[in-house]
Structure formats: C-alpha cells, structure tokens
Amino acid sequence: MRILYLLFAVVFLLFQAAPGSADPTFADTAACRSQGNFCRAGPCPPTFTVSGSCHGGLLKCCSK
C-alpha cells in the first residue's frame, strides 16, 4: 500500500506541466500588446481602429 503513495507522487511529478506552456506566445500578439493595444475577437469599440491581428490572425488588434 505504501508504494501507491510513492507511485502517485512520481506520476504527478512526471506529468506536471511547465509554467506558461498552456498559453503559446504569438509574435503578432506580442507586437500588438507591446504598443499598448489590445486583442479582441469581435469588432473594435467605436473609438478604436483595427491596427493588425493577434493570435495568428484569429483576433483583431485594436488601437486608439
């Protein structure tokens, strides 16, 4: 029975995800946010304009 606790700990450590691995960084997203803009799935708000794309072209980069 004691081996199950050790086995569980080893399996848990082996399959632990690396920090940040679930959120890949896209170059266009980093460029958009570095300029102080934000990404949006729908159209940009009325006072903002589309200045590029985010997440590999799936979202729009909105700028003032």
Side-chain angles (χ1 to χ4, degrees), residues 38-46 48-50 60 62:
F38 61 94
C39 300
R40 188 163 174 148
C44 294
F48 293 86
T49 59
V50 177
K60 296 175 183 141
C62 299

Side-chain angles (χ1 to χ4, degrees), residues 42-63:
C44 294
T47 59
F48 293 86
T49 59
V50 177
S51 64
S53 64
C54 295
H55 287 75
L58 296 175
L59 303 177
K60 296 175 183 141
C61 180
C62 299
S63 65

Side-chain angles (χ1 to χ4, degrees), residues 3 11 22-23 32 40 51-52 56 58-59 64:
I3 191 94
V11 169
D23 187 23
C32 178
R40 188 163 174 148
S51 64
L58 296 175
L59 303 177
K64 191 87 170 160

Side-chain angles (χ1 to χ4, degrees), residues 2-59:
R2 292 181 187 170
I3 191 94
L4 289 177
Y5 295 114
L6 180 63
L7 182 64
F8 176 72
V10 169
V11 169
F12 179 74
L13 290 175
L14 286 176
F15 292 110
Q16 187 176 7
S21 64
D23 187 23
T25 303
F26 293 98
D28 56 353
T29 303
C32 178
R33 291 190 177 165
S34 69
Q35 297 171 357
N37 302 333
F38 61 94
C39 300
R40 188 163 174 148
C44 294
T47 59
F48 293 86
T49 59
V50 177
S51 64
S53 64
C54 295
H55 287 75
L58 296 175
L59 303 177

